[in-house]
Amino acid sequence: MQTLGIAITGSGSAVPATFLDNQGLMELVETSDEWITTRTGIRQRRLANVGESLTDLATAAGEAAIAMAGITPQQLDLILLATSTPDDLFGSACQIQAKLGATRAVAFDMTAACSGFVFGLVTAAQFIRTGVYQNVLLIGADILSRWVDWQDRRTCVLFGDAAGAVVLQANDSDRLLGFELRSDGTQNDCLNLPYTPDATELLPGVVVGRGNFQPITMNGKEVYRFAVQQVPEVIDKALFRANLSVEEIDWLLLHQANQRILDAVAQRLNIPEQKVISNLAYYGNTSAASIPLALDEAIRQNKIKPNDIIAASGFGAGLTWGAAIFQWGR
């Protein structure tokens, strides 16, 4: 079977209309605009209302990416949804497939939290490189507001809701130049959205767990330390696999978690500020959506141009982290 290359030919994004700024948060918890801005760089975040679904956001982002790529939904072979917050615990990708009318596409969810888009990009590329599929829609989407404790000022200031998408297509030259993926389950307790069972006795001696997921908990200092240490290293490894130097990168596109992390990683890699893409001031941490959301904005602003080399890196719960070096367009 002939090995093909991949090209990323379309991007799209969608965010809820409702936004909550730092002044609004001051009415919920003891905090201030200055405290949030200096520690995170976030000024506002978008929140899905009770009637908005992840499926709707993801479908809208997917439609925009498909349109930019110049294909129809019926030409899609695969829809891959990276999310930690599906509408249905069994998965939401098939609902998106139905809403798009992508009748030929197989669809499934994958979960790698804030690393989900980078992990999904590498996963989608393998289906194309082996010649199995030609056109893949990759969506990163999360509605984290469903799982935030709005009385916990350490976490409620951070998260927002969004969806971002890209279309990957078979291509003569391979535009995914290199990647590196990592996991470390020994640090799992640094960032959790845990299931807590409620014991229910069905019959004497037969006890099952019924319950719900608890709100997000995070050890911010440990996550910051982990990201600043591991992300530059994984980008270096991905660049090595791509046979490129840091100086050849046009854009650094990190998971939009915290402006201090973005600044620290860029500094360690000696990447100038003007090459760092950042939009977290307006959206907060949108987990798997953050990289494709920032990518789509930069493309539509004509910031990112065809053939630009982008170093993207996701990091988060698991703990998981990874980097992918790719060129935009064919």
Side-chain angles (χ1 to χ4, degrees):
M1 192 179 290
Q2 183 189 2
T3 302
L4 300 168
I6 69 122
I8 302 170
T9 59
S11 68
S13 59
V15 295
T18 304
F19 71 88
L20 176 64
D21 60 19
N22 292 345
Q23 282 75 20
L25 278 172
M26 288 164 60
E27 298 180 32
L28 298 176
V29 291
E30 188 181 333
T31 189
S32 70
D33 177 55
E34 184 191 9
W35 189 91
I36 298 168
T37 305
T38 54
R39 282 164 177 76
T40 70
I42 300 166
R43 297 185 182 278
Q44 66 179 48
R45 65 285 298 144
R46 300 295 185 99
L47 303 180
N49 67 40
V50 72
E52 284 181 291
S53 70
L54 181 100
T55 300
D56 290 339
L57 277 178
T59 301
E63 285 172 340
I66 291 164
M68 187 187 287
I71 61 171
T72 65
Q74 292 75 25
Q75 289 174 273
L76 290 175
D77 302 300
L78 169 66
I79 298 168
L80 187 53
L81 173 66
T83 188
S84 303
T85 56
D87 296 324
D88 181 335
L89 207 54
F90 289 146
S92 291
C94 291
Q95 291 174 276
I96 295 163
Q97 181 244 17
K99 274 185 167 286
L100 287 171
T103 49
R104 289 181 53 249
V106 64
F108 63 90
D109 293 35
M110 64 174 287
T111 302
C114 302
S115 305
F117 181 79
V118 170
F119 278 45
L121 187 67
V122 173
T123 302
Q126 309 317 308
F127 284 98
I128 295 174
R129 284 173 164 176
T130 55
V132 177
Y133 295 142
Q134 300 287 303
N135 301 306
V136 178
L137 175 65
L138 168 63
I139 306 169
D142 273 301
I143 298 183
L144 289 174
S145 61
R146 292 172 173 170
W147 301 106
V148 167
D149 177 356
W150 291 100
Q151 301 305 309
D152 179 4
R153 67 176 185 168
R154 296 166 300 176
T155 57
C156 75
V157 303
L158 298 174
F159 299 107
D161 306 333
V166 294
V167 169
L168 293 83
Q169 294 187 271
N171 199 51
D172 290 336
S173 63
D174 200 348
R175 313 287 270 183
L176 178 58
L177 307 175
F179 67 85
E180 183 80 10
L181 305 179
R182 295 291 181 87
S183 301
D184 181 5
T186 65
Q187 297 188 74
N188 177 260
D189 60 353
C190 292
L191 182 51
N192 287 121
L193 205 172
Y195 168 74
T196 304
D198 178 21
T200 302
E201 188 171 29
L202 302 179
L203 295 168
V206 182
V207 180
V208 297
R210 296 183 64 189
N212 208 334
F213 291 90
Q214 299 304 302
I216 295 166
T217 61
M218 183 173 71
N219 183 329
K221 285 183 180 176
E222 285 303 314
V223 172
Y224 177 86
R225 189 179 293 126
F226 144 75
V228 170
Q229 182 181 332
Q230 298 293 348
V231 172
E233 184 184 308
V234 82
I235 291 171
D236 270 337
K237 287 216 161 41
L239 283 168
F240 176 77
R241 295 187 187 282
N243 197 25
L244 293 170
S245 67
V246 171
E247 292 73 30
E248 291 173 281
I249 295 172
D250 293 302
W251 303 102
L252 178 64
L253 176 53
L254 301 179
H255 164 51
Q256 306 286 295
N258 184 311
Q259 190 61 46
R260 289 166 66 209
I261 292 175
L262 271 62
D263 294 342
V265 170
Q267 196 171 8
R268 288 203 175 193
L269 290 167
N270 290 317
I271 293 174
E273 187 183 339
Q274 60 267 27
K275 286 187 174 185
V276 180
I277 293 171
S278 174
N279 70 351
L280 65 83
Y282 307 103
Y283 303 106
N285 179 344
T286 58
S287 192
S290 82
I291 291 175
L293 172 63
L295 177 70
D296 182 50
E297 269 200 351
I299 288 165
R300 292 179 188 273
Q301 291 166 357
N302 287 321
K303 208 172 184 178
I304 293 175
K305 295 183 168 53
N307 301 317
D308 278 1
I309 295 173
I310 299 157
S313 180
F315 49 90
L319 293 176
T320 57
W321 66 106
I325 315 299
F326 63 90
Q327 279 181 286
W328 165 245
R330 289 195 186 279

